[in-house]
Amino acid sequence: MVGTLVGLGAGIGLAHLTVGHTAWVLVVIVTSMSLGFYLVNVSYACMIFFVTIMVSQLYSVLHEFSAGLLLLRLEETALGAAIGIAVAYFILPTSTRDTVESARRAYFRALADLLDRAAPTGADGTGLDALARSLDHRLQQLTLVARPLTRPMTWGVNSRLVRHRLTLYAATTRQARALVRSGFPVPPELTDACTALSRVATALAEVTPRPDHPVPGVTQALTTAGTTLLTHRPHCPGTPLPPVTQPLVHLRQLLTELAMLPPAPVPPLPAGRPTISPR
């Protein structure tokens, strides 16, 4: 409504300036369409603002331009907004939080699928690239639907916490990608760690974690992964780590935080090897 109302004022003013100048009309139309589609991801109101300017120019070219016709557009927009609100509240009452929760569960299911495929001894990595792309897609969906909750002063939402958790999801996706790029097969001694992290992702997909209500089975699975990584680390200085070790260590750290658990001890890596920050 705001985008349409402000766009009407700008559209009327520009229509009077460009009347009889076809070249300028075309410039305004093309510019409005370009800016409208460019800004749609920033603000839907901005897109409607520029679309309304474009429509005003088209009415002018068709010699149908009038304040009454533009007022009718405002009334139609108001009617459409009212119908949309009524449908959202009474017919399909799915809140933003419900949509984010659905996207969150889908993300963890995709992560569990990737870890399951990577876990078995002797895995050759077949299909892992497709699973990694699927995880990227799930991350994009989660980021998109959670965007309204990241705005400051959103009622009933800690927007700072939402932004922080989206950062954790992005870091988790990067480490899953690093796991895929690390090569196969996964060493048999680290298979249990990969399987345990897959169980963590599956559990997080089924239950929403809360600080005062840990997800059942997650703590034990994270302990199993940590014990496996700690037990099978090289004891001799200078011994190279298996390429999958660092992604698994960082995935364990990130999943611990996403499960809203206290920070868990991290298996120390041999001295002299660089670490990858999960953030």
Side-chain angles (χ1 to χ4, degrees):
M1 280 294 297
V2 171
T4 301
L5 184 60
V6 177
L8 287 178
I12 291 173
L14 286 172
H16 286 296
L17 292 175
T18 60
V19 62
H21 303 282
T22 305
W24 282 110
V25 170
L26 294 176
V27 169
V28 172
I29 290 176
V30 172
T31 302
S32 298
M33 289 298 296
S34 300
L35 291 174
F37 284 111
Y38 180 77
L39 294 173
V40 66
N41 288 327
V42 177
S43 170
Y44 190 77
C46 289
M47 187 198 74
I48 294 300
F49 169 79
F50 287 107
V51 167
T52 303
I53 293 177
M54 179 205 69
V55 170
S56 301
Q57 295 294 315
L58 290 177
Y59 287 156
S60 177
V61 171
L62 296 173
H63 304 291
E64 297 289 342
F65 180 83
S66 67
L69 188 58
L70 295 179
L71 181 61
L72 178 62
R73 173 174 172 77
L74 180 62
E75 294 171 348
E76 291 173 343
T77 302
L79 179 61
I83 293 174
I85 292 172
V87 170
Y89 271 99
F90 302 111
I91 300 178
L92 297 172
T94 301
S95 68
T96 300
R97 292 178 180 84
D98 293 334
T99 306
V100 171
E101 178 63 16
S102 177
R104 185 196 68 82
R105 292 173 183 268
Y107 174 84
F108 278 118
R109 284 193 292 268
L111 178 61
D113 289 342
L114 188 150
L115 293 172
D116 275 335
R117 182 66 63 88
T121 303
D124 60 1
T126 302
L128 276 174
D129 284 337
L131 291 174
R133 288 193 297 271
S134 176
L135 185 65
D136 286 337
H137 176 64
R138 294 301 182 184
L139 174 65
Q140 291 173 359
Q141 287 184 322
L142 178 58
T143 303
L144 179 63
V145 299
R147 184 177 299 167
L149 303 181
T150 63
R151 296 167 184 165
M153 301 182 66
T154 303
W155 183 78
V157 175
N158 186 339
S159 59
R160 184 177 179 180
L161 177 62
V162 173
R163 291 194 297 271
H164 173 63
R165 293 186 69 79
L166 288 176
T167 302
L168 294 178
Y169 288 120
T172 301
T173 304
R174 288 196 299 272
Q175 294 304 323
R177 275 282 187 186
L179 180 65
V180 172
R181 294 194 303 267
S182 62
F184 288 88
V186 172
E189 64 270 16
L190 296 180
T191 297
D192 288 344
C194 197
T195 302
L197 293 178
S198 175
R199 293 201 305 270
V200 173
T202 300
L204 292 176
E206 295 174 354
V207 181
T208 303
R210 301 182 186 281
D212 52 346
H213 293 87
V215 178
V218 166
T219 302
Q220 182 178 356
L222 288 170
T223 301
T224 300
T227 302
T228 302
L229 292 168
L230 182 63
T231 302
H232 295 286
R233 78 185 194 279
H235 295 283
C236 299
T239 303
L241 288 169
V244 300
T245 301
Q246 287 192 4
L248 289 176
V249 168
H250 292 313
L251 281 171
R252 177 176 174 270
Q253 291 175 310
L254 291 162
L255 289 175
T256 298
E257 191 164 355
L258 286 170
M260 294 188 176
L261 295 173
V266 180
L269 301 178
R273 290 191 59 86
T275 58
I276 303 173
S277 172
R279 300 184 189 179

